[in-house]
Amino acid sequence: MGDARDLLVVGAGPAGMAAAWRAAQNGLRVSVVDDNPAAGGQIWRGGPPEATVWFERIRGVDVDVINGARVFQQLRPGTLLAETTSGVRELSYKSLVLATGARELFLPFPGWTLPNVMGAGGLQALVKTGLPIEGKRVVVAGSGPLLLAVAAYLRGHGANVLLIAEQASSMQLARFAVGLFSKRSQAFELKRQLKGVPYRSSCWVSKAYGTEKLEGVTLFRGKKSYQVSCDYLACGFHLVPNVELAKLLGCDVEPGGVRVNEFQQTTLANVYSAGETTGIGGLELSLVEGEIAGLAAAGKHDAARELFPLRAKQRKFADLLNRTFALCDELKHLSTPQTIVCRCEDVTFERLQKHTSWRAAKLQTRCGMGPCQGRICGGAVEFLFGWSAESVRPPALPVRIDSLIRK
Amino acid sequence: MSSKTYDVVIIGAGIVGSACAAECANEGLSVAIVEAAIIGGGATAAGMGHLTVMDDSEAQFALTRYSQQLWNQMSDALPREVEHDACGTIWVAVDDEEMAEVRRKEKFFAERGVRTEILDAQSLAEAEPNLRPGLVGGLRVPGDSVIYPPCAAQFFVNQAMKKGAKLFLGTPVDKIEPDNMHGVRLSDGSTISAGLVVNSAGSSSPSLTHGLEVKKRKGHLVITDRYPNFVRHQLVELGYLKSAHSMTAESVAFNVQPRTTGQLLIGSSRQFGVDDSHVDNSIVTRMLERAVEYLPRLGKLSSLRAWTGFRAATPDKLPLIGPHAEHERLYLATGHEGLGITTSLATAKLLVDQIVKRESVIPVTPYLPARMARGAVHA
Amino acid sequence: MRETVTLVVNGMSVEMPAGSMVSAAILKTGTHAFRRSVTGEPRGPLCGMGICFECRVTIDGEQHCRSCQTVCRNGMDVRTDG
């Protein structure tokens, strides 16, 4: 597409697809760009049944979905650059929706770098993309509703899910259960799928052990430790928004996500943001935010306003969600001095402890200077030391030198 | 608020300031170090830690040579994080004109006791297989090395503090010698009293000393993922000096450094008159295109980050080391342009020599700040 | 449309459902160490979504490819560095 499209959507997950659909429905020329080989983001990777209606909606309107394209830089306001296997694409737009989703929060603990220790969403993604899991023993741990969804999915594919260790307390979880009333059918379905799998609250993995790969974990609960042998550990501590591209473009970003107004507009006039990127809140909130962004970009503010009540309702759920799964202080003390915190540069806890700021720690230890560009260790050091992330420099993701030259 | 009077207060804990602090403390002087933000966080963090001898003038040679010898003497004591690696430099020649320059350099260095090796096309290709075919040769300087500067600056600060220096971290200096006191006032109103003040604030030094002939010269760098042995030496084009010496608005030159991690640092660019630190796509493109001309396979490598920094440049390319022409209690240790890492140690020695009024190992006249007064300098 | 693809992982032939990622193919061969960290630790995939870079391997001669983001293709040559 040589001319500027009316709307470019970055991210082909639920929020991005909802925005693209609404905008295209209202006559805009829309492109959606995504790093993954297929649309769906994380939650709809592989196109599960519940996503079908949305995939059909996208097929039913005139939307150009560009997969396998990594947005890494802004060429000038109004044009983004994306790397593909065959070179760099310039993507010009009049309006932009950032629907870049979220990633899991990883916290270090002894042994967490062993092969076969993965994120909860991480192991699920691997199984969805072809990893055989039948008969394998899996411990699911960390925090958040994702653990339940992952445990149910893995079980449904033949895994032997040994237990789910949730760091939140039973009281926090009880409050959440009450608030789930509106989602009770989903909750009931999950409960059914997980019958027989122990769900332990105030419980976390204090150590993963094994020689060349994971052989088992030590679980801690209420002052008692016990060991469980397993083949995989699926461990993630809820989600954090992917705000790097928004920061690179100059949008205001708050601790919880990209700052947006009631029409999902960021602090940059023609840039919108929707979904987990603006704050973790689950699937339904992502969809309605996406729709509002798409309608607003198309100038249909009245139609957008009609969705405000639904969004407000979903936001209440999101608040409950994030309060419930707030991380307990004990998780700050899992590391030993030798526990690796930055996996890219093998920087240990004791080397980081000495510093008083992220910048000083980075310069002196090279923590956060590896290929993950601080995405894995950043959330951890914020939780452990209170250091907040810095400004983002290009490229937003590692790209070939040729791509920086724009060949 | 400190009621103590230090012998010296050093402004700026970049590589130059921290080296000066360590040397002053080593001399037995009481030292206060004031760093506004992060130790080694300015040009020290942004640049390449290339320790190299330069031949563009006698004064530049003397300073870099002396300093390199000091680095070599110290190399065993440097902590692992400083990543000192004696990989050497190769100055790369693309044509016969540049090859003549190679021979001139070899002669210059040989006459002054610096060992180098002239490489013809074949030996260049053997030394660096990823350089493009068709280059005519180069000059290998085995005595050159590379380091990771922020950790070196921290090491020097630690050395200074072991000898009693006090570090004031996180508050910038507001004014030097305010209200007839000798020392500095910080932005929070507190003061540090000292017999002498050393302005080693790099590209920020003119904001503290009025009329200082130091200008910001912006540079860009890109770092790749790990590709061990992709290059083995620091590789620099012979046109680099043209770029460094040019007074034009902007220039790029091929300059690539292998880090001990296997990552490649790719430079270099120079711009005058640009004050903002954002990464300029067009400069990065030009810089990388130049690098790919020399290393064609570089294009396929994965790049992790691009960033900028500000060198402190003087009109005659030499740093300012010594007392201010008009204020005898104010010393300057700034204006090192792209050679701050290399010449930090010699700068520290020359500074302390002048403070204690001792003759230096090399003549100090070329670096004296007084040379800038009354048009005594030719740009 | 083919239902399976065959690729080569560390010299071993592996058959995978079409649309699978290289990371799954590597794990299927029983290889759990995809690469070595800077201090020599064995590492495998962590995030599954292309941001941790622990799953990097050499694919068809190109180093540092994220295997969890690369779709398996017939004849693809994959080498781990574990």
Side-chain angles (χ1 to χ4, degrees), chain A residues 7-276:
Chain A
L7 181 68
L8 176 67
V9 178
V10 181
M17 294 216 282
W21 173 59
R22 279 296 187 189
Q25 241 191 359
N26 285 284
L28 263 53
R29 283 182 313 157
V30 183
S31 293
V32 180
V33 62
D34 194 291
D35 187 16
N36 295 285
Q42 304 313 315
I43 192 170
W44 285 344
R45 184 187 292 274
E50 58 269 22
T52 315
V53 61
W54 281 98
F55 284 111
E56 273 168 12
R57 279 177 177 161
I58 285 291
R59 275 195 289 275
V61 289
D62 187 16
V63 169
D64 172 32
V65 180
I66 306 165
N67 288 121
R70 222 188 278 194
V71 173
F72 66 94
Q73 201 168 309
Q74 175 173 256
L75 183 59
R76 62 184 83 87
T79 303
L80 295 180
L81 295 176
E83 179 187 71
T84 68
T85 46
S86 52
V88 172
R89 284 186 70 155
E90 285 186 22
L91 301 166
S92 293
Y93 57 86
K94 299 200 185 103
S95 294
L96 179 67
V97 173
L98 298 173
T100 46
R103 56 182 182 260
E104 290 186 271
L105 175 67
F106 293 100
L107 297 180
F109 52 88
W112 77 297
T113 56
L114 280 168
N116 295 347
V117 174
M118 300 178 189
L123 180 58
Q124 182 183 41
L126 274 141
V127 174
K128 282 188 176 182
T129 55
L131 172 66
I133 201 77
E134 184 160 346
K136 301 280 194 229
R137 300 161 301 165
V138 183
V139 169
V140 179
S143 196
L146 181 60
L147 302 189
L148 297 163
V150 166
Y153 175 85
L154 294 175
R155 210 183 193 210
H157 282 73
N160 178 8
V161 178
L162 301 174
L163 73 127
I164 304 167
E166 165 60 64
Q167 60 86 31
S169 68
S170 53
M171 196 159 80
Q172 282 165 276
L173 293 171
R175 272 191 245 120
F176 185 60
V178 168
L180 272 181
F181 188 70
S182 60
K183 298 182 196 279
R184 59 195 180 282
S185 60
Q186 293 142 309
F188 191 75
E189 178 58 22
L190 271 178
K191 204 170 137 117
R192 192 190 61 78
Q193 290 170 320
L194 290 170
K195 191 168 145 109
V197 178
Y199 183 60
R200 304 259 175 268
S201 58
S202 298
C203 181
W204 50 82
V205 171
S206 58
K207 189 180 153 125
Y209 55 86
T211 37
E212 288 288 293
K213 61 174 175 147
L214 179 71
E215 284 158 29
V217 297
T218 304
L219 289 152
F220 185 85
R221 188 181 198 214
K223 300 185 174 81
K224 284 211 277 241
S225 289
Y226 61 104
Q227 292 189 333
V228 173
S229 299
C230 58
D231 302 306
Y232 291 97
L233 170 62
C235 182
F237 291 87
H238 197 35
L239 302 172
V240 290
N242 292 325
V243 298
E244 287 71 26
L245 186 56
K247 276 186 166 174
L248 191 66
L249 299 179
C251 302
D252 261 19
V253 175
E254 286 162 342
V258 179
R259 184 146 70 96
V260 290
N261 68 7
E262 55 181 356
F263 291 105
Q264 303 294 141
Q265 215 176 9
T266 68
T267 47
L268 295 180
N270 61 338
V271 178
Y272 298 81
S273 189
E276 309 281 64

Side-chain angles (χ1 to χ4, degrees), chain A residues 287-355:
Chain A
L287 287 168
V288 67
E289 284 191 357
E291 289 193 62
I292 291 171
L295 288 166
K300 304 290 179 198
H301 295 91
D302 287 340
R305 271 194 200 91
E306 281 172 29
L307 294 172
F308 285 9
L310 177 58
R311 182 179 59 187
K313 181 173 157 205
Q314 293 302 334
R315 282 216 172 123
K316 276 215 188 101
F317 170 73
D319 289 339
L320 174 65
L321 178 76
N322 295 319
R323 275 202 309 275
T324 301
F325 298 102
L327 299 175
C328 67
D329 258 0
E330 286 95 315
L331 297 172
K332 292 186 183 167
H333 307 293
L334 296 179
S335 293
T336 70
Q338 288 76 42
T339 303
I340 283 175
V341 177
C342 164
R343 298 170 67 118
C344 292
E345 301 290 323
D346 281 5
V347 185
T348 57
F349 185 83
E350 67 181 341
R351 287 188 66 205
L352 288 174
Q353 242 182 336
K354 307 192 251 204
H355 297 286

Side-chain angles (χ1 to χ4, degrees), chain B residues 62-81:
Chain B
L63 192 65
T64 54
R65 171 72 162 157
Y66 177 33
S67 207
Q68 195 178 68
Q69 286 166 329
L70 293 168
W71 277 108
N72 289 339
Q73 281 160 28
M74 187 187 278
S75 65
D76 287 339
L78 294 171
R80 197 186 43 90
E81 305 85 75

